Amino acid sequence: MLTRLQEDFPDLTVSKVRFLDTEGLVSPQRRESGYREYSERDIERLRFVLTAQRDRFWPLKVIREALDAYDRGLTPETGPGSDGLPVPPAPVDDPDLPTAAELQEQVRDVRLTRAELAQGSGLSPAAVTELETFHLIAPGGDGHYDQSALRVARAAHALSAYGVSGRHLRAFRLAADREIGLVQQATGTDAEARAEVLAQCLALHVALVRAGLREL
């Protein structure tokens, strides 16, 4: 370990490493013989500690807090004038969610009969009727179903394999109506703003559901 680090830190000694070990900044495993065994992770932590002391003059308290923050998933601050202290990571867009631009795209619509909707989704005619009963889908004024109805029907068919029926999906309709009302209240008739707010509402919805599932 000393051989690895003394190239960059020539004044490093065994006693200095043992001191940092005693301070809890690095915790190598011990063999049955009592010798410390440093992993690659331990060596990198030591390198971080020594660099922070030499180049940034951080006291041990700040270094300890920074290491704890990095262990919890925070990342070093970057950019001009940054001191390298840990900050929450930058948000990453969920690749499974549509962007505001994608929500604004016009999808080629279709006009489907009830039989075609059942065929395209895999649902039985009775299941299609159930979705209508719980206001999950509805035909247009001409009696035909559009692309949105087809998407809902296909999702309902996929969920039916897990015992989820139309009556269980009523909660999704109620939640969607509340989100739609919020989007309309926040944006009015601004189509671009509506798409952005809708994208954030979907992201929030998914984040809350995922967080709840992790607690189960």
Side-chain angles (χ1 to χ4, degrees):
M1 182 272 297
L2 285 174
T3 301
R4 290 273 299 274
L5 292 174
Q6 281 178 333
E7 181 178 347
D8 295 322
F9 306 95
D11 296 332
L12 183 63
T13 62
V14 171
S15 60
K16 173 65 178 290
V17 174
R18 286 179 177 170
F19 169 74
L20 296 175
D21 187 355
T22 303
E23 291 293 314
L25 296 170
V26 62
S27 302
Q29 293 185 346
R30 286 183 179 267
R31 297 179 179 176
E32 292 181 3
S33 61
Y35 284 103
R36 294 174 176 85
E37 190 171 73
Y38 291 84
S39 66
E40 287 295 329
R41 181 174 181 272
D42 294 327
I43 293 174
E44 289 309 309
R45 285 174 74 88
L46 276 172
R47 189 184 301 279
F48 172 83
V49 172
L50 297 169
T51 301
Q53 287 184 312
R54 183 191 64 190
D55 299 346
R56 294 172 175 161
F57 308 104
W58 287 0
L60 292 183
K61 180 177 183 295
V62 173
I63 295 174
R64 188 180 295 108
E65 292 172 349
L67 286 171
D68 174 69
Y70 293 142
D71 289 341
R72 291 184 286 105
L74 280 71
T75 56
E77 185 180 17
T78 59
S82 65
D83 54 12
L85 287 171
V87 294
V92 178
D93 292 335
D94 190 332
D96 296 328
L97 289 173
T99 64
E102 290 171 339
L103 289 170
Q104 281 189 287
E105 290 180 0
Q106 296 297 321
V107 179
R108 185 182 68 84
D109 216 338
V110 294
R111 296 167 62 248
L112 304 173
T113 65
R114 176 185 289 268
E116 290 167 342
L117 179 65
Q119 178 185 14
S121 64
L123 291 174
S124 66
V128 171
T129 299
E130 184 181 37
L131 293 184
E132 286 186 333
T133 300
F134 292 104
H135 306 288
L136 293 162
I137 61 172
D142 60 358
H144 291 94
Y145 300 86
D146 61 12
Q147 186 76 252
S148 296
L150 180 59
R151 289 174 176 169
V152 171
R154 284 177 173 168
H157 178 259
L159 290 170
S160 67
Y162 300 92
V164 180
S165 63
R167 63 187 178 85
H168 300 119
L169 301 179
R170 173 62 176 159
F172 287 88
R173 175 73 272 171
L174 296 174
D177 287 341
R178 287 194 291 269
E179 290 184 16
I180 292 168
L182 175 62
V183 171
Q184 290 177 330
Q185 178 182 353
T187 63
T189 59
D190 187 333
E192 184 175 346
R194 184 186 305 145
E196 179 60 36
V197 172
L198 176 57
Q200 296 306 320
C201 284
L202 292 174
L204 174 61
H205 179 87
V206 171
L208 290 172
V209 171
R210 284 177 173 169
L213 289 175
R214 283 198 298 269
E215 296 174 0
L216 297 180

